[in-house]
């Protein structure tokens, strides 16, 4: 008898963060399929609501979610769900996070105020997550200790720098999230003494 090949285990991860931090770019950089995006043109009305100061070339925005996937190895396939970044679409987050093993919160250090909500969300939902500072133009405005302090990120939460445009950098960030989720699962299964 030939062994039956098992499909990879599906794992849901959420990519979250404020408006224009690089969530759609992150999903698109690593997805092995053409990502599903729900991009809509930024209208004059939206431009008056959403701060485009640091993203002047941004002409579209996610209004529901981004979706992509990547097979890590024959046993594991990640399904990536990117959240919308504007507060007015926040009602989508609960549905997107349902069943997620973990999350990657993307931060733009030029606008730290936009990042509090995403960090708080994952803390309150008790979903394992890592925080990834997106290096726009290869630069980060503040060092990681300052970012951790400013966003009040707990010491056990990994804080890294990555580039949302680079596949290898995104892969490494997602592996950090998987390691956090695995460590949480192992701790939950460990015998109590």
């Amino acid at each position: 008898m030939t062994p039956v090949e098992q499909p990879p285990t599906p794992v849901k991860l959420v990519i979250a963060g404020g408006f224009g931090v690089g969530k759609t770019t992150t999903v698109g950089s690593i997805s092995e399929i053409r990502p599903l995006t729900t991009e809509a043109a930024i209208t004059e009305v939206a431009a008056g609501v959403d701060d485009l100061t640091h993203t002047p070339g941004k002409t579209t925005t996610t209004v529901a979610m981004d979706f992509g996937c990547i097979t890590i190895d024959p046993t594991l396939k990640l399904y990536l769900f990117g959240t919308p970044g504007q507060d007015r679409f926040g009602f989508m987050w609960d549905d997107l996070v349902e069943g997620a093993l973990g999350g990657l919160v993307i931060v733009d250090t030029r606008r730290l105020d936009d990042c509090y909500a995403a960090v708080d969300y994952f803390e309150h939902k008790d979903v394992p997550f890592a925080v990834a500072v997106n290096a726009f133009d290869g630069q980060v405005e503040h060092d990681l200790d300052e970012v951790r302090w400013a966003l009040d990120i707990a010491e056990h939460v990994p804080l890294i720098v990555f580039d949302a445009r680079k596949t290898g950098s995104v892969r490494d960030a997602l592996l950090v999230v998987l390691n956090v989720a695995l460590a949480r699962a192992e701790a939950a299964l460990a015998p109590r003494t």
Side-chain angles (χ1 to χ4, degrees), residues 143-164:
D143 72 30
L144 292 184
D145 288 336
E146 292 172 333
V147 172
R148 186 177 294 281
W149 179 84
L151 294 177
D152 195 25
I153 300 168
E155 287 298 321
H156 71 274
V157 176
L159 176 60
I160 60 171
V161 174
F162 89 126
D163 188 330

Side-chain angles (χ1 to χ4, degrees), residues 2-145:
T2 53
V4 177
E5 191 172 313
Q6 295 293 319
T9 301
V11 172
K12 180 179 184 182
L13 294 183
V14 176
I15 313 297
F19 173 73
V21 297
K23 298 175 299 292
T24 300
T25 302
T26 298
V27 172
S29 292
I30 198 157
S31 182
E32 64 193 17
I33 63 168
R34 182 175 175 191
L36 166 69
T37 61
T38 56
E39 294 288 293
I42 295 177
T43 64
E44 284 186 35
V45 173
V49 175
D50 300 323
D51 182 5
L52 299 173
T53 307
H54 295 287
T55 55
K58 189 167 177 61
T59 59
T60 63
T61 188
T62 302
V63 295
M65 69 173 190
D66 298 312
F67 173 78
C69 61
I70 181 71
T71 304
I72 299 295
D73 64 32
T75 66
L76 185 65
K77 186 167 190 164
L78 303 183
Y79 291 91
L80 308 173
F81 291 81
T83 66
Q86 302 91 323
D87 290 340
R88 65 185 174 279
F89 299 123
F91 65 91
M92 297 280 307
W93 283 41
D94 286 341
D95 290 335
L96 292 173
V97 171
E98 179 79 26
L101 186 68
L104 181 67
V105 175
I106 302 176
V107 169
D108 179 349
T109 58
R110 301 170 300 181
R111 324 178 259 142
L112 286 175
D113 287 350
D114 294 348
C115 305
Y116 294 116
V119 172
D120 288 347
Y121 181 87
F122 281 89
E123 286 175 343
H124 287 88
K125 288 291 184 179
D126 198 29
V127 174
F129 71 102
V131 177
V133 174
N134 195 356
F136 286 92
D137 301 321
Q139 297 185 23
V140 174
E141 297 289 318
H142 305 284
D143 72 30
L144 292 184
D145 288 336

